[in-house]
Amino acid sequence: MADNNNFNNNFNDRDTRSIDLRPEERDRERVDTFEEETAAEVTPITGAFGGRTEEREETAEANYDDATASGRGVGTFAIVLSILSLFFLPILLGASGIIVGFVARRAGANALGNWAIGIGALSIILTVFFSPFF
């Protein structure tokens, strides 16, 4: 720790840099012309104000198709779990169908996910009410 403080003190003592311009760097004639060069990071404008939107739309459609295809697969699996829960292992398969139904909704298959959640919940409720009679 003492070595670090000693280094900082020695460095600060030797630092004679200045932010002032040297005489040859000053250009008093061009002060009022506002010809300074500036730089900025610019993102190309796409959409309503210009740019090429065809490529972006094709890419978005391709991504949407992939997402809905994977969502349909997860949704179908959730429906299968929920329907199977009506016949055997209702608590386990019904809960699994509900959970996978929520995953399917997030993946884009809203209708399949909602049906899976509803059927899984119905299976669990029916089991709770009718299990005392069997």
Side-chain angles (χ1 to χ4, degrees):
M1 185 71 176
D3 292 333
N4 191 17
N5 288 337
N6 192 14
F7 173 76
N8 287 336
N9 289 337
N10 289 338
F11 182 74
N12 290 335
D13 292 341
R14 287 184 280 142
D15 190 13
T16 59
R17 294 179 290 176
S18 173
I19 60 171
D20 294 332
L21 295 174
R22 294 185 299 251
E24 61 270 9
E25 294 175 333
R26 294 187 184 125
D27 189 6
R28 296 197 186 271
E29 297 172 9
R30 298 181 66 193
V31 171
D32 296 331
T33 60
F34 300 105
E35 293 181 9
E36 295 89 11
E37 181 179 347
T38 59
E41 303 264 342
V42 178
T43 303
I45 298 173
T46 57
F49 298 109
R52 298 181 65 187
T53 59
E54 295 85 20
E55 294 174 4
R56 198 174 88 201
E57 288 173 0
E58 290 172 3
T59 305
E61 288 174 7
N63 290 340
Y64 179 75
D65 291 340
D66 292 343
T68 55
S70 66
R72 278 190 227 124
V74 174
T76 304
F77 180 63
I79 288 281
V80 167
L81 283 174
S82 294
I83 290 174
L84 285 175
S85 73
L86 292 171
F87 301 107
F88 58 94
L89 298 173
I91 302 294
L92 181 66
L93 291 179
S96 299
I98 291 171
I99 292 169
V100 177
F102 278 110
V103 172
R105 282 182 48 189
R106 180 164 295 227
N110 290 332
L112 289 172
N114 288 336
W115 275 102
I117 292 167
I119 293 171
L122 178 71
S123 174
I124 291 173
I125 290 169
L126 288 176
T127 300
V128 169
F129 284 124
F130 290 118
S131 63
F133 300 114
F134 293 105

